[in-house]
Coordinates of all heavy atoms in Angstrom, one line a residue:
M157 N -1.6 -29.8 1.1 CA -0.9 -29.1 0.1 C -1.4 -27.8 -0.1 O -2.7 -27.6 0.0 CB -1.1 -30.0 -1.2 CG -0.3 -29.3 -2.4 SD -0.2 -30.5 -3.7 CE 1.6 -30.0 -4.1
H158 N -0.7 -26.8 -0.2 CA -1.0 -25.4 -0.3 C -1.3 -25.1 -1.9 O -0.6 -25.4 -2.7 CB 0.1 -24.5 0.1 CG -0.2 -23.0 0.1 ND1 0.0 -22.2 -1.0 CD2 -0.7 -22.3 1.1 CE1 -0.4 -21.0 -0.7 NE2 -0.8 -21.0 0.5
S159 N -2.5 -24.4 -2.0 CA -2.9 -24.1 -3.3 C -3.1 -22.6 -3.5 O -3.7 -22.0 -2.7 CB -4.2 -24.8 -3.6 OG -4.8 -24.3 -4.9
D160 N -2.5 -22.0 -4.5 CA -2.6 -20.6 -4.9 C -3.6 -20.5 -6.0 O -3.3 -20.0 -7.1 CB -1.2 -20.0 -5.2 CG -0.3 -19.9 -4.1 OD1 -0.9 -19.7 -3.0 OD2 0.9 -19.9 -4.3
S161 N -4.9 -20.7 -5.7 CA -6.0 -20.7 -6.7 C -6.0 -19.2 -7.2 O -6.0 -18.3 -6.6 CB -7.2 -21.1 -6.3 OG -7.6 -20.3 -5.1
G162 N -6.1 -19.2 -8.6 CA -6.3 -17.8 -9.3 C -4.9 -17.1 -9.4 O -4.9 -16.0 -9.9
K163 N -3.9 -17.7 -9.0 CA -2.6 -17.1 -9.2 C -1.8 -17.8 -10.3 O -1.9 -19.0 -10.5 CB -1.7 -17.1 -7.9 CG -2.4 -16.3 -6.9 CD -1.4 -16.3 -5.6 CE -2.0 -15.3 -4.5 NZ -1.0 -15.2 -3.4
Q164 N -1.0 -16.9 -10.9 CA -0.1 -17.5 -12.1 C 1.3 -17.4 -11.6 O 1.7 -16.4 -10.9 CB -0.3 -16.7 -13.4 CG -1.6 -16.8 -14.0 CD -1.8 -16.0 -15.3 OE1 -0.8 -15.5 -15.7 NE2 -2.9 -16.0 -15.8
Q165 N 2.1 -18.2 -12.0 CA 3.6 -18.3 -11.8 C 4.2 -17.4 -12.8 O 4.0 -17.7 -14.0 CB 4.0 -19.7 -11.5 CG 5.5 -19.6 -11.1 CD 6.0 -21.2 -10.9 OE1 5.3 -22.1 -11.0 NE2 7.2 -21.3 -10.5
V166 N 5.2 -16.7 -12.4 CA 5.9 -15.9 -13.3 C 7.5 -16.0 -12.9 O 7.7 -16.2 -11.7 CB 5.6 -14.4 -13.4 CG1 4.2 -14.1 -13.9 CG2 5.7 -13.7 -12.0
V167 N 8.3 -15.8 -13.9 CA 9.7 -15.8 -13.6 C 10.2 -14.4 -13.8 O 10.0 -13.8 -14.8 CB 10.5 -16.9 -14.6 CG1 11.9 -16.8 -14.2 CG2 10.0 -18.2 -14.3
I168 N 11.0 -13.9 -12.8 CA 11.6 -12.6 -13.0 C 13.1 -12.6 -12.6 O 13.5 -13.6 -11.8 CB 10.9 -11.6 -12.0 CG1 10.9 -11.9 -10.6 CG2 9.4 -11.4 -12.6 CD1 10.3 -10.9 -9.5
K169 N 13.7 -11.6 -13.0 CA 15.2 -11.4 -12.6 C 15.3 -10.3 -11.7 O 14.9 -9.2 -12.1 CB 16.1 -11.4 -13.9 CG 16.2 -12.6 -14.7 CD 17.2 -12.4 -15.8 CE 17.2 -13.7 -16.6 NZ 18.2 -13.5 -17.7
I170 N 15.9 -10.4 -10.5 CA 16.1 -9.4 -9.6 C 17.5 -9.4 -9.1 O 18.1 -10.5 -8.9 CB 15.2 -9.5 -8.3 CG1 13.7 -9.6 -8.8 CG2 15.3 -8.4 -7.3 CD1 12.6 -9.9 -7.7
E171 N 18.1 -8.3 -9.0 CA 19.5 -8.1 -8.5 C 19.6 -8.8 -7.2 O 18.8 -8.7 -6.4 CB 19.8 -6.7 -8.4 CG 19.9 -5.9 -9.7 CD 20.1 -4.4 -9.6 OE1 20.3 -4.0 -8.3 OE2 20.1 -3.7 -10.5
A172 N 20.7 -9.5 -7.1 CA 21.1 -10.3 -5.8 C 21.1 -9.4 -4.7 O 20.5 -9.8 -3.5 CB 22.4 -11.1 -6.0
E173 N 21.6 -8.2 -4.8 CA 21.7 -7.2 -3.7 C 20.3 -6.9 -3.1 O 20.0 -6.9 -1.9 CB 22.5 -6.1 -4.1 CG 22.5 -5.0 -2.9 CD 23.3 -3.8 -3.3 OE1 24.3 -3.8 -4.1 OE2 22.9 -2.7 -2.8
L174 N 19.4 -6.7 -4.1 CA 18.1 -6.3 -3.7 C 17.4 -7.5 -3.0 O 16.6 -7.4 -2.0 CB 17.2 -6.0 -4.9 CG 15.8 -5.5 -4.8 CD1 15.7 -4.4 -3.7 CD2 15.2 -5.2 -5.9
L175 N 17.5 -8.7 -3.5 CA 17.0 -9.9 -2.8 C 17.6 -10.1 -1.4 O 16.8 -10.5 -0.5 CB 17.3 -11.2 -3.6 CG 16.3 -11.4 -4.8 CD1 16.7 -12.6 -5.6 CD2 14.9 -11.4 -4.4
E176 N 18.8 -9.8 -1.3 CA 19.4 -9.9 0.1 C 18.7 -8.9 1.1 O 18.5 -9.2 2.2 CB 21.0 -9.6 0.1 CG 21.7 -10.8 -0.7 CD 23.1 -10.5 -0.9 OE1 23.6 -9.4 -0.4 OE2 23.8 -11.2 -1.6
R177 N 18.6 -7.7 0.5 CA 17.9 -6.7 1.4 C 16.5 -7.2 1.8 O 15.9 -6.9 2.9 CB 17.9 -5.3 0.7 CG 19.2 -4.7 0.6 CD 19.2 -3.5 -0.3 NE 18.2 -2.4 0.3 CZ 17.8 -1.3 -0.4 NH1 18.2 -1.2 -1.6 NH2 17.0 -0.5 0.2
L178 N 15.7 -7.7 0.8 CA 14.4 -8.2 0.9 C 14.4 -9.2 1.9 O 13.6 -9.2 2.8 CB 13.9 -8.6 -0.4 CG 12.4 -9.1 -0.4 CD1 11.5 -8.0 0.1 CD2 12.0 -9.6 -1.8
D179 N 15.2 -10.2 1.8 CA 15.3 -11.3 2.8 C 15.5 -10.9 4.2 O 15.2 -11.5 5.2 CB 16.3 -12.4 2.3 CG 15.8 -13.1 1.1 OD1 14.6 -13.1 0.7 OD2 16.7 -13.7 0.3
R180 N 16.4 -9.9 4.3 CA 16.7 -9.3 5.7 C 15.5 -8.7 6.3 O 15.3 -8.7 7.6 CB 17.8 -8.3 5.7 CG 19.2 -8.9 5.6 CD 20.3 -8.0 5.9 NE 20.3 -6.7 4.9 CZ 21.0 -6.6 3.9 NH1 21.8 -7.5 3.5 NH2 20.9 -5.6 3.2
L181 N 14.5 -8.1 5.5 CA 13.3 -7.5 6.0 C 12.1 -8.4 6.2 O 11.2 -8.1 7.0 CB 12.9 -6.4 5.0 CG 14.0 -5.3 4.8 CD1 13.5 -4.3 3.7 CD2 14.0 -4.5 6.1
T182 N 12.1 -9.5 5.4 CA 10.9 -10.4 5.5 C 11.3 -11.9 5.4 O 12.3 -12.3 4.8 CB 9.9 -10.0 4.4 OG1 8.7 -10.9 4.7 CG2 10.4 -10.2 3.0
G183 N 10.4 -12.7 6.0 CA 10.6 -14.1 5.9 C 9.9 -14.7 4.8 O 9.9 -15.8 4.4
D184 N 9.0 -13.9 4.2 CA 8.1 -14.3 3.0 C 8.4 -13.5 1.8 O 7.7 -12.4 1.4 CB 6.6 -14.3 3.4 CG 5.7 -15.0 2.3 OD1 6.2 -15.2 1.2 OD2 4.6 -15.2 2.7
R185 N 9.4 -13.8 1.0 CA 9.8 -13.1 -0.2 C 8.7 -13.0 -1.2 O 8.4 -11.9 -1.9 CB 11.0 -13.9 -0.8 CG 11.6 -13.2 -2.1 CD 12.6 -14.2 -2.8 NE 13.8 -14.1 -2.1 CZ 14.8 -14.9 -2.5 NH1 14.7 -15.5 -3.6 NH2 16.1 -14.9 -1.8
N186 N 8.0 -14.0 -1.4 CA 7.0 -14.0 -2.4 C 5.8 -13.0 -2.1 O 5.3 -12.3 -3.0 CB 6.4 -15.5 -2.6 CG 7.3 -16.4 -3.3 OD1 8.2 -15.9 -4.1 ND2 7.1 -17.7 -3.0
Q187 N 5.4 -13.0 -0.8 CA 4.4 -12.1 -0.4 C 4.8 -10.6 -0.6 O 4.1 -9.8 -0.9 CB 3.9 -12.4 1.1 CG 2.9 -11.5 1.5 CD 1.6 -11.6 0.7 OE1 1.2 -12.7 0.3 NE2 1.0 -10.5 0.5
A188 N 6.1 -10.4 -0.2 CA 6.7 -9.0 -0.3 C 6.7 -8.6 -1.7 O 6.3 -7.5 -2.0 CB 8.0 -9.1 0.3
I189 N 7.1 -9.5 -2.6 CA 7.2 -9.0 -4.0 C 5.7 -8.8 -4.6 O 5.5 -7.9 -5.3 CB 7.9 -10.2 -4.8 CG1 9.4 -10.2 -4.4 CG2 7.7 -9.9 -6.4 CD1 10.2 -11.3 -5.0
E190 N 4.7 -9.7 -4.2 CA 3.4 -9.5 -4.6 C 2.7 -8.2 -4.0 O 2.1 -7.5 -4.8 CB 2.5 -10.7 -4.2 CG 1.1 -10.7 -4.7 CD 0.4 -11.9 -4.4 OE1 0.9 -12.9 -4.0 OE2 -0.9 -11.8 -4.3
S191 N 3.1 -7.9 -2.9 CA 2.6 -6.6 -2.2 C 3.3 -5.4 -2.8 O 2.5 -4.4 -3.2 CB 3.0 -6.6 -0.7 OG 2.3 -7.6 0.0
A192 N 4.5 -5.5 -3.2 CA 5.1 -4.4 -3.9 C 4.5 -4.3 -5.3 O 4.4 -3.0 -5.8 CB 6.6 -4.7 -4.0
I193 N 4.3 -5.3 -6.1 CA 3.6 -5.1 -7.3 C 2.2 -4.5 -7.3 O 1.8 -3.7 -8.0 CB 3.5 -6.6 -8.1 CG1 5.0 -6.9 -8.4 CG2 2.7 -6.4 -9.3 CD1 5.1 -8.3 -9.0
R194 N 1.4 -4.9 -6.1 CA 0.1 -4.4 -6.0 C 0.2 -2.9 -5.7 O -0.5 -2.1 -6.2 CB -0.6 -5.0 -4.8 CG -1.1 -6.4 -5.0 CD -1.9 -7.1 -3.9 NE -2.1 -8.5 -3.9 CZ -3.1 -8.9 -4.7 NH1 -3.9 -8.1 -5.3 NH2 -3.3 -10.2 -4.7
L195 N 1.2 -2.5 -4.8 CA 1.4 -1.1 -4.5 C 1.7 -0.3 -5.7 O 1.1 0.7 -6.0 CB 2.5 -0.9 -3.4 CG 2.8 0.4 -3.1 CD1 1.7 1.3 -2.4 CD2 4.0 0.5 -2.1
W196 N 2.6 -0.8 -6.6 CA 3.0 -0.2 -7.9 C 1.8 0.1 -8.7 O 1.5 1.1 -9.3 CB 4.1 -1.0 -8.6 CG 4.6 -0.2 -9.7 CD1 5.6 0.7 -9.8 CD2 4.2 -0.5 -11.0 NE1 5.8 1.0 -11.1 CE2 4.8 0.4 -11.9 CE3 3.1 -1.2 -11.7 CZ2 4.7 0.5 -13.3 CZ3 2.9 -1.2 -13.0 CH2 3.6 -0.3 -13.9
C197 N 1.0 -1.0 -8.8 CA -0.2 -1.0 -9.8 C -1.2 0.1 -9.2 O -1.8 0.9 -9.9 CB -0.9 -2.3 -9.9 SG -0.1 -3.5 -10.8
D198 N -1.3 0.1 -7.9 CA -2.2 1.1 -7.2 C -1.8 2.5 -7.4 O -2.6 3.5 -7.9 CB -2.4 0.9 -5.7 CG -3.3 -0.3 -5.4 OD1 -3.9 -0.9 -6.3 OD2 -3.1 -0.6 -4.2
Q199 N -0.5 2.7 -7.4 CA 0.1 4.0 -7.6 C -0.1 4.5 -9.1 O -0.4 5.6 -9.4 CB 1.5 4.1 -7.3 CG 1.8 4.1 -5.8 CD 3.3 3.9 -5.4 OE1 4.1 3.3 -6.3 NE2 3.6 4.2 -4.2
Q200 N 0.2 3.5 -10.0 CA -0.1 3.8 -11.4 C -1.4 4.1 -11.7 O -1.8 5.1 -12.5 CB 0.4 2.8 -12.3 CG 1.9 2.3 -12.2 CD 2.7 3.5 -12.4 OE1 2.7 4.1 -13.5 NE2 3.6 3.8 -11.5
S201 N -2.4 3.4 -11.2 CA -3.9 3.8 -11.3 C -4.2 5.1 -10.8 O -4.9 5.9 -11.3 CB -4.7 2.8 -10.6 OG -4.6 1.5 -11.2
N202 N -3.6 5.5 -9.7 CA -3.8 6.8 -9.1 C -3.3 7.9 -10.0 O -3.9 9.0 -10.1 CB -3.2 6.9 -7.6 CG -4.1 6.1 -6.6 OD1 -5.2 5.8 -6.8 ND2 -3.4 5.8 -5.5
N203 N -2.1 7.6 -10.5 CA -1.5 8.5 -11.4 C -2.3 8.8 -12.6 O -2.6 10.0 -13.1 CB -0.1 8.2 -11.8 CG 1.0 8.2 -10.7 OD1 0.7 8.9 -9.7 ND2 2.1 7.5 -10.8
V204 N -2.8 7.7 -13.2 CA -3.7 8.0 -14.4 C -5.0 8.6 -14.0 O -5.4 9.6 -14.8 CB -4.0 6.5 -15.0 CG1 -5.1 6.6 -16.0 CG2 -2.7 5.9 -15.6
G205 N -5.5 8.3 -12.9 CA -6.8 9.0 -12.3 C -6.5 10.5 -12.2 O -7.4 11.3 -12.5
K206 N -5.4 10.9 -11.7 CA -5.0 12.3 -11.4 C -4.9 13.0 -12.8 O -5.3 14.1 -13.0 CB -3.7 12.4 -10.7 CG -4.0 12.1 -9.2 CD -2.6 12.2 -8.4 CE -2.8 11.7 -7.0 NZ -1.5 11.8 -6.3
I207 N -4.3 12.3 -13.8 CA -4.2 12.9 -15.1 C -5.5 13.2 -15.8 O -5.7 14.2 -16.4 CB -3.2 12.0 -16.0 CG1 -1.8 12.1 -15.5 CG2 -3.3 12.4 -17.4 CD1 -0.8 11.1 -16.2
L208 N -6.4 12.1 -15.7 CA -7.7 12.3 -16.2 C -8.5 13.3 -15.5 O -9.3 14.0 -16.2 CB -8.5 11.0 -16.2 CG -7.9 9.9 -17.1 CD1 -8.6 8.4 -16.8 CD2 -8.0 10.2 -18.5
Q209 N -8.4 13.4 -14.2 CA -9.0 14.5 -13.4 C -8.6 15.8 -13.8 O -9.4 16.8 -14.1 CB -8.9 14.2 -11.9 CG -9.6 15.2 -11.1 CD -9.4 14.9 -9.5 OE1 -8.5 14.3 -9.1 NE2 -10.4 15.4 -8.9
R210 N -7.2 15.9 -14.0 CA -6.7 17.3 -14.4 C -7.1 17.7 -15.8 O -7.5 18.8 -16.0 CB -5.2 17.2 -14.3 CG -4.5 18.6 -14.7 CD -4.8 19.6 -13.7 NE -4.3 20.8 -14.1 CZ -4.9 22.0 -14.1 NH1 -6.0 22.2 -13.7 NH2 -4.3 23.1 -14.6
S211 N -7.2 16.7 -16.6 CA -7.6 17.0 -18.0 C -9.1 17.4 -18.1 O -9.4 18.4 -18.7 CB -7.4 15.7 -18.9 OG -8.0 15.9 -20.2
A212 N -9.9 16.8 -17.2 CA -11.3 17.2 -17.2 C -11.5 18.6 -16.6 O -12.3 19.4 -17.1 CB -12.1 16.1 -16.4
Q213 N -10.6 18.9 -15.6 CA -10.7 20.3 -15.0 C -10.3 21.3 -16.0 O -10.9 22.3 -16.1 CB -9.8 20.4 -13.8 CG -10.2 19.5 -12.6 CD -9.2 19.5 -11.4 OE1 -8.1 19.7 -11.7 NE2 -9.7 19.2 -10.3
V214 N -9.2 21.0 -16.7 CA -8.8 22.0 -17.8 C -9.9 22.2 -18.9 O -10.1 23.3 -19.2 CB -7.6 21.6 -18.5 CG1 -7.2 22.3 -19.7 CG2 -6.4 21.6 -17.5
H215 N -10.5 21.1 -19.2 CA -11.6 21.2 -20.3 C -12.7 22.0 -19.7 O -13.2 22.9 -20.5 CB -12.0 19.7 -20.7 CG -13.1 19.8 -21.7 ND1 -12.9 20.1 -23.0 CD2 -14.4 19.6 -21.5 CE1 -14.0 20.0 -23.5 NE2 -15.1 19.7 -22.8
Q216 N -13.0 21.7 -18.5 CA -14.2 22.4 -17.8 C -13.9 23.9 -17.7 O -14.6 24.8 -18.0 CB -14.5 21.9 -16.5 CG -15.8 22.5 -15.8 CD -17.0 22.3 -16.5 OE1 -17.3 21.2 -17.0 NE2 -17.8 23.4 -16.7
Q217 N -12.6 24.3 -17.4 CA -12.2 25.6 -17.2 C -12.2 26.4 -18.6 O -12.7 27.5 -18.7 CB -10.8 25.7 -16.7 CG -10.3 27.0 -16.3 CD -8.9 27.0 -15.6 OE1 -8.2 26.1 -15.8 NE2 -8.7 28.0 -14.7
R218 N -11.8 25.6 -19.6 CA -11.9 26.2 -21.0 C -13.3 26.6 -21.4 O -13.6 27.5 -21.9 CB -11.2 25.3 -22.0 CG -9.7 25.2 -21.8 CD -9.1 24.3 -22.9 NE -9.4 24.6 -24.4 CZ -9.4 23.6 -25.2 NH1 -9.1 22.4 -25.0 NH2 -9.8 23.9 -26.5
H219 N -14.1 25.5 -21.1 CA -15.5 25.8 -21.4 C -16.1 26.8 -20.6 O -16.9 27.7 -21.2 CB -16.3 24.4 -21.0 CG -17.8 24.5 -21.2 ND1 -18.6 25.6 -21.2 CD2 -18.7 23.5 -21.6 CE1 -19.8 25.4 -21.4 NE2 -19.9 24.1 -21.6
D220 N -15.9 26.9 -19.3 CA -16.4 28.1 -18.5 C -15.8 29.4 -19.0 O -16.6 30.4 -18.8 CB -16.0 27.8 -17.0 CG -16.6 26.7 -16.4 OD1 -17.6 26.2 -17.0 OD2 -16.2 26.2 -15.3
N221 N -14.7 29.5 -19.5 CA -14.0 30.7 -19.9 C -14.4 31.1 -21.4 O -14.2 32.3 -21.8 CB -12.5 30.7 -19.8 CG -12.0 30.6 -18.4 OD1 -12.7 31.0 -17.5 ND2 -10.8 30.1 -18.1
D222 N -15.0 30.3 -22.1 CA -15.4 30.5 -23.5 C -16.7 31.4 -23.4 O -17.7 31.1 -23.0 CB -15.7 29.2 -24.1 CG -16.1 29.4 -25.6 OD1 -15.6 30.4 -26.2 OD2 -16.9 28.7 -26.2
E223 N -16.5 32.6 -24.1 CA -17.6 33.6 -24.1 C -18.6 33.2 -25.0 O -19.8 33.8 -25.0 CB -17.1 34.9 -24.3 CG -16.0 35.5 -23.2 CD -15.3 36.7 -23.5 OE1 -15.7 37.4 -24.6 OE2 -14.5 37.1 -22.9
T224 N -18.4 32.4 -26.0 CA -19.5 32.0 -27.0 C -20.5 31.2 -26.5 O -21.6 31.1 -27.1 CB -18.8 31.4 -28.4 OG1 -18.3 30.2 -28.0 CG2 -17.8 32.4 -28.9
G225 N -20.2 30.4 -25.5 CA -21.1 29.4 -25.0 C -21.0 28.0 -25.7 O -21.6 27.2 -25.3
W226 N -20.2 28.0 -26.7 CA -19.9 26.8 -27.4 C -18.8 26.0 -26.8 O -17.9 26.6 -26.1 CB -19.5 27.0 -28.9 CG -20.6 27.6 -29.7 CD1 -20.9 28.9 -29.9 CD2 -21.6 26.9 -30.4 NE1 -21.9 29.1 -30.6 CE2 -22.4 27.8 -31.0 CE3 -21.8 25.6 -30.6 CZ2 -23.5 27.5 -31.8 CZ3 -23.0 25.2 -31.4 CH2 -23.8 26.2 -32.0
L227 N -18.9 24.6 -26.8 CA -17.9 23.9 -26.2 C -16.6 24.0 -27.0 O -16.7 24.1 -28.3 CB -18.3 22.4 -26.2 CG -19.4 22.0 -25.1 CD1 -19.7 20.6 -25.4 CD2 -18.8 22.2 -23.8
V228 N -15.5 24.1 -26.4 CA -14.2 24.1 -27.2 C -13.5 22.9 -26.9 O -13.6 22.2 -26.0 CB -13.4 25.4 -26.7 CG1 -14.0 26.6 -27.1 CG2 -13.2 25.4 -25.1

């Protein structure tokens, strides 16, 4: 018997047309959906990281440009 230890089962609704396209591309619908969710999460994490990095750069630039020497 196959066990998916550490995995939770969820129920989602997906448009029939999208599932048809998915099924034409892969024989493992569940794996494809799981991979797509992982990719989306990675992209979101990267986006947040970029926003935080940009914010830090702006803060550093403001600090560097401040003539008083005080943090702004």
Side-chain angles (χ1 to χ4, degrees):
M157 176 164 224
H158 185 272
S159 173
D160 288 329
S161 62
K163 293 186 178 184
Q164 295 182 7
Q165 184 174 2
V166 296
V167 177
I168 59 171
K169 292 183 181 184
I170 300 177
E171 295 175 1
E173 180 181 325
L174 181 57
L175 282 179
E176 290 172 9
R177 290 175 59 195
L178 181 62
D179 290 340
R180 283 193 300 266
L181 296 170
T182 183
D184 190 345
R185 179 191 285 180
N186 290 335
Q187 182 60 41
I189 293 170
E190 186 174 339
S191 294
I193 293 170
R194 285 183 194 281
L195 177 61
W196 184 86
C197 288
D198 289 346
Q199 289 173 336
Q200 297 308 305
S201 293
N202 287 339
N203 289 341
V204 169
K206 287 177 185 176
I207 290 169
L208 292 174
Q209 183 180 23
R210 179 65 184 139
S211 176
Q213 288 172 342
V214 167
H215 180 75
Q216 184 65 44
Q217 188 174 30
R218 286 177 56 206
H219 178 330
D220 292 346
N221 293 340
D222 181 32
E223 296 174 4
T224 67
W226 293 91
L227 288 175
V228 290

